[in-house]
PDB file of all heavy atoms in Angstrom:
ATOM      1  N   GLY A 261      -9.459  29.540  10.465  1.00 90.00           N
ATOM      2  CA  GLY A 261      -8.546  28.463  10.085  1.00 90.00           C
ATOM      3  C   GLY A 261      -8.302  27.477  11.215  1.00 90.00           C
ATOM      4  O   GLY A 261      -8.547  26.269  11.069  1.00 90.00           O
ATOM      5  N   PRO A 262      -7.835  27.966  12.367  1.00 91.00           N
ATOM      6  CA  PRO A 262      -7.589  27.039  13.486  1.00 91.00           C
ATOM      7  C   PRO A 262      -8.847  26.287  13.919  1.00 91.00           C
ATOM      8  O   PRO A 262      -8.757  25.087  14.257  1.00 91.00           O
ATOM      9  CB  PRO A 262      -7.119  27.965  14.611  1.00 91.00           C
ATOM     10  CG  PRO A 262      -6.538  29.132  13.904  1.00 91.00           C
ATOM     11  CD  PRO A 262      -7.332  29.304  12.656  1.00 91.00           C
ATOM     12  N   VAL A 263     -10.010  26.942  13.870  1.00 93.00           N
ATOM     13  CA  VAL A 263     -11.235  26.245  14.275  1.00 93.00           C
ATOM     14  C   VAL A 263     -11.537  25.103  13.304  1.00 93.00           C
ATOM     15  O   VAL A 263     -11.867  23.987  13.716  1.00 93.00           O
ATOM     16  CB  VAL A 263     -12.428  27.221  14.365  1.00 93.00           C
ATOM     17  CG1 VAL A 263     -13.701  26.459  14.729  1.00 93.00           C
ATOM     18  CG2 VAL A 263     -12.166  28.294  15.399  1.00 93.00           C
ATOM     19  N   ILE A 264     -11.385  25.381  12.009  1.00 93.00           N
ATOM     20  CA  ILE A 264     -11.611  24.319  11.012  1.00 93.00           C
ATOM     21  C   ILE A 264     -10.684  23.141  11.283  1.00 93.00           C
ATOM     22  O   ILE A 264     -11.105  21.976  11.271  1.00 93.00           O
ATOM     23  CB  ILE A 264     -11.374  24.862   9.577  1.00 93.00           C
ATOM     24  CG1 ILE A 264     -12.421  25.907   9.235  1.00 93.00           C
ATOM     25  CG2 ILE A 264     -11.401  23.723   8.566  1.00 93.00           C
ATOM     26  CD1 ILE A 264     -12.211  26.563   7.884  1.00 93.00           C
ATOM     27  N   VAL A 265      -9.429  23.443  11.543  1.00 93.00           N
ATOM     28  CA  VAL A 265      -8.456  22.379  11.791  1.00 93.00           C
ATOM     29  C   VAL A 265      -8.836  21.592  13.044  1.00 93.00           C
ATOM     30  O   VAL A 265      -8.744  20.355  13.077  1.00 93.00           O
ATOM     31  CB  VAL A 265      -7.035  22.975  11.920  1.00 93.00           C
ATOM     32  CG1 VAL A 265      -6.067  21.944  12.464  1.00 93.00           C
ATOM     33  CG2 VAL A 265      -6.570  23.479  10.567  1.00 93.00           C
ATOM     34  N   LEU A 266      -9.315  22.301  14.066  1.00 94.00           N
ATOM     35  CA  LEU A 266      -9.720  21.607  15.293  1.00 94.00           C
ATOM     36  C   LEU A 266     -10.929  20.712  15.048  1.00 94.00           C
ATOM     37  O   LEU A 266     -10.992  19.587  15.565  1.00 94.00           O
ATOM     38  CB  LEU A 266     -10.018  22.609  16.408  1.00 94.00           C
ATOM     39  CG  LEU A 266      -8.776  23.217  17.055  1.00 94.00           C
ATOM     40  CD1 LEU A 266      -9.163  24.237  18.116  1.00 94.00           C
ATOM     41  CD2 LEU A 266      -7.901  22.123  17.667  1.00 94.00           C
ATOM     42  N   VAL A 267     -11.876  21.197  14.251  1.00 95.00           N
ATOM     43  CA  VAL A 267     -13.039  20.363  13.924  1.00 95.00           C
ATOM     44  C   VAL A 267     -12.578  19.100  13.182  1.00 95.00           C
ATOM     45  O   VAL A 267     -13.015  17.982  13.487  1.00 95.00           O
ATOM     46  CB  VAL A 267     -14.065  21.144  13.076  1.00 95.00           C
ATOM     47  CG1 VAL A 267     -15.173  20.216  12.593  1.00 95.00           C
ATOM     48  CG2 VAL A 267     -14.658  22.287  13.886  1.00 95.00           C
ATOM     49  N   ALA A 268     -11.663  19.299  12.240  1.00 95.00           N
ATOM     50  CA  ALA A 268     -11.129  18.144  11.509  1.00 95.00           C
ATOM     51  C   ALA A 268     -10.471  17.170  12.477  1.00 95.00           C
ATOM     52  O   ALA A 268     -10.591  15.945  12.335  1.00 95.00           O
ATOM     53  CB  ALA A 268     -10.139  18.607  10.444  1.00 95.00           C
ATOM     54  N   ALA A 269      -9.789  17.719  13.466  1.00 96.00           N
ATOM     55  CA  ALA A 269      -9.127  16.868  14.463  1.00 96.00           C
ATOM     56  C   ALA A 269     -10.156  16.069  15.267  1.00 96.00           C
ATOM     57  O   ALA A 269      -9.907  14.919  15.646  1.00 96.00           O
ATOM     58  CB  ALA A 269      -8.266  17.716  15.390  1.00 96.00           C
ATOM     59  N   VAL A 270     -11.306  16.689  15.517  1.00 96.00           N
ATOM     60  CA  VAL A 270     -12.375  15.965  16.227  1.00 96.00           C
ATOM     61  C   VAL A 270     -12.856  14.786  15.377  1.00 96.00           C
ATOM     62  O   VAL A 270     -13.068  13.683  15.880  1.00 96.00           O
ATOM     63  CB  VAL A 270     -13.546  16.914  16.569  1.00 96.00           C
ATOM     64  CG1 VAL A 270     -14.732  16.121  17.099  1.00 96.00           C
ATOM     65  CG2 VAL A 270     -13.097  17.951  17.589  1.00 96.00           C
ATOM     66  N   PHE A 271     -12.986  15.023  14.063  1.00 96.00           N
ATOM     67  CA  PHE A 271     -13.344  13.923  13.154  1.00 96.00           C
ATOM     68  C   PHE A 271     -12.339  12.779  13.281  1.00 96.00           C
ATOM     69  O   PHE A 271     -12.703  11.611  13.338  1.00 96.00           O
ATOM     70  CB  PHE A 271     -13.368  14.405  11.698  1.00 96.00           C
ATOM     71  CG  PHE A 271     -14.684  14.991  11.286  1.00 96.00           C
ATOM     72  CD1 PHE A 271     -14.828  16.361  11.126  1.00 96.00           C
ATOM     73  CD2 PHE A 271     -15.777  14.181  11.043  1.00 96.00           C
ATOM     74  CE1 PHE A 271     -16.042  16.903  10.746  1.00 96.00           C
ATOM     75  CE2 PHE A 271     -16.999  14.719  10.666  1.00 96.00           C
ATOM     76  CZ  PHE A 271     -17.123  16.083  10.519  1.00 96.00           C
ATOM     77  N   VAL A 272     -11.058  13.149  13.319  1.00 96.00           N
ATOM     78  CA  VAL A 272     -10.009  12.129  13.415  1.00 96.00           C
ATOM     79  C   VAL A 272     -10.139  11.365  14.733  1.00 96.00           C
ATOM     80  O   VAL A 272     -10.154  10.132  14.745  1.00 96.00           O
ATOM     81  CB  VAL A 272      -8.606  12.769  13.321  1.00 96.00           C
ATOM     82  CG1 VAL A 272      -7.526  11.726  13.564  1.00 96.00           C
ATOM     83  CG2 VAL A 272      -8.407  13.409  11.962  1.00 96.00           C
ATOM     84  N   ALA A 273     -10.268  12.106  15.823  1.00 96.00           N
ATOM     85  CA  ALA A 273     -10.347  11.461  17.138  1.00 96.00           C
ATOM     86  C   ALA A 273     -11.551  10.528  17.202  1.00 96.00           C
ATOM     87  O   ALA A 273     -11.443   9.369  17.621  1.00 96.00           O
ATOM     88  CB  ALA A 273     -10.433  12.529  18.229  1.00 96.00           C
ATOM     89  N   PHE A 274     -12.689  11.027  16.734  1.00 95.00           N
ATOM     90  CA  PHE A 274     -13.899  10.221  16.739  1.00 95.00           C
ATOM     91  C   PHE A 274     -13.697   8.937  15.923  1.00 95.00           C
ATOM     92  O   PHE A 274     -14.039   7.839  16.362  1.00 95.00           O
ATOM     93  CB  PHE A 274     -15.059  11.046  16.168  1.00 95.00           C
ATOM     94  CG  PHE A 274     -16.374  10.326  16.223  1.00 95.00           C
ATOM     95  CD1 PHE A 274     -17.141  10.322  17.378  1.00 95.00           C
ATOM     96  CD2 PHE A 274     -16.855   9.647  15.109  1.00 95.00           C
ATOM     97  CE1 PHE A 274     -18.348   9.647  17.430  1.00 95.00           C
ATOM     98  CE2 PHE A 274     -18.056   8.975  15.148  1.00 95.00           C
ATOM     99  CZ  PHE A 274     -18.810   8.986  16.314  1.00 95.00           C
ATOM    100  N   SER A 275     -13.111   9.100  14.738  1.00 95.00           N
ATOM    101  CA  SER A 275     -12.924   7.951  13.856  1.00 95.00           C
ATOM    102  C   SER A 275     -11.958   6.939  14.460  1.00 95.00           C
ATOM    103  O   SER A 275     -12.158   5.738  14.352  1.00 95.00           O
ATOM    104  CB  SER A 275     -12.382   8.403  12.502  1.00 95.00           C
ATOM    105  OG  SER A 275     -13.226   9.370  11.947  1.00 95.00           O
ATOM    106  N   PHE A 276     -10.905   7.441  15.093  1.00 94.00           N
ATOM    107  CA  PHE A 276      -9.915   6.525  15.646  1.00 94.00           C
ATOM    108  C   PHE A 276     -10.494   5.737  16.815  1.00 94.00           C
ATOM    109  O   PHE A 276     -10.084   4.623  17.074  1.00 94.00           O
ATOM    110  CB  PHE A 276      -8.662   7.291  16.087  1.00 94.00           C
ATOM    111  CG  PHE A 276      -7.659   7.410  14.988  1.00 94.00           C
ATOM    112  CD1 PHE A 276      -7.896   8.248  13.909  1.00 94.00           C
ATOM    113  CD2 PHE A 276      -6.497   6.664  15.002  1.00 94.00           C
ATOM    114  CE1 PHE A 276      -6.990   8.344  12.870  1.00 94.00           C
ATOM    115  CE2 PHE A 276      -5.579   6.752  13.963  1.00 94.00           C
ATOM    116  CZ  PHE A 276      -5.828   7.595  12.898  1.00 94.00           C
ATOM    117  N   ILE A 277     -11.459   6.331  17.502  1.00 94.00           N
ATOM    118  CA  ILE A 277     -12.030   5.621  18.645  1.00 94.00           C
ATOM    119  C   ILE A 277     -13.217   4.759  18.210  1.00 94.00           C
ATOM    120  O   ILE A 277     -13.319   3.595  18.577  1.00 94.00           O
ATOM    121  CB  ILE A 277     -12.470   6.616  19.734  1.00 94.00           C
ATOM    122  CG1 ILE A 277     -11.243   7.351  20.268  1.00 94.00           C
ATOM    123  CG2 ILE A 277     -13.169   5.890  20.883  1.00 94.00           C
ATOM    124  CD1 ILE A 277     -11.558   8.500  21.178  1.00 94.00           C
TER     125      ILE A 277
END
Side-chain angles (χ1 to χ4, degrees):
Chain A
V263 178
I264 294 176
V265 168
L266 284 178
V267 173
V270 171
F271 273 106
V272 174
F274 184 83
S275 305
F276 270 72
I277 296 171

